[in-house]
Amino acid sequence: MTPITLTLPGTIRIKKNSKRVFGMGGFKRILPSKAYLKWEAQARESIWQAAIVPPLDGPIWVEAHCYYKGNRPDLSGAMESIGDCLQGLIWSDDAQIESWDGSRMHHDLKNPRTEIIVRPMPS
């Protein structure tokens, strides 16, 4: 199978940082930050436009190069954000990801983006 290559626009946002507490009556819920939700919606829209269907099944290898503007996000948080964002679109479940080998953070003031390569794991 040919690798799937994707480019998600903008600086990646980390899902676990800057969470919001939302109260409804006596119940409280933790929600991702507005910045993460905006990044996720923009990323998912760019994937829909690429029309990659159906989501992959089986073990996969993902390599992500995150080109960020501003403060450096942490790589493990970036991988979590990517895994959750692309679940159901590129892969069925982020538990399928067996390797993030080659993933890196890069500083780029002019063109922040996230470039992703997805391959099935060799048998």
Side-chain angles (χ1 to χ4, degrees):
M1 179 186 159
T2 305
I4 297 171
T5 58
L6 310 162
T7 301
L8 307 179
T11 296
I12 192 164
R13 300 297 177 185
I14 307 305
K15 187 173 186 178
K16 67 182 180 180
N17 291 352
S18 307
K19 292 184 177 182
R20 302 175 287 147
V21 177
F22 178 75
M24 234 170 91
F27 298 99
K28 292 190 179 182
R29 186 171 174 188
I30 305 292
L31 300 174
S33 70
K34 290 180 181 179
Y36 173 79
L37 293 174
K38 182 179 176 182
W39 173 82
E40 182 183 54
Q42 187 178 19
R44 291 178 73 84
E45 179 64 29
S46 70
I47 298 306
W48 277 106
Q49 290 175 359
I52 300 169
V53 290
L56 297 171
D57 287 324
I60 55 174
W61 170 78
V62 178
E63 180 180 347
H65 292 270
C66 302
Y67 297 84
Y68 62 93
K69 179 180 180 178
N71 294 332
R72 183 187 185 278
D74 74 276
L75 181 60
S76 63
M79 292 184 300
E80 180 184 355
S81 292
I82 293 165
D84 290 344
C85 177
L86 301 182
Q87 183 168 288
L89 293 175
I90 303 301
W91 42 77
S92 299
D93 187 335
D94 61 356
Q96 295 170 239
I97 302 171
E98 292 197 4
S99 173
W100 285 97
D101 290 349
S103 296
R104 302 277 186 272
M105 302 301 290
H106 309 273
H107 196 242
D108 188 340
L109 291 172
K110 295 180 181 177
N111 186 19
R113 67 202 179 278
T114 302
E115 297 176 356
I116 301 167
I117 302 167
V118 182
R119 296 184 179 103
M121 287 295 287
S123 326

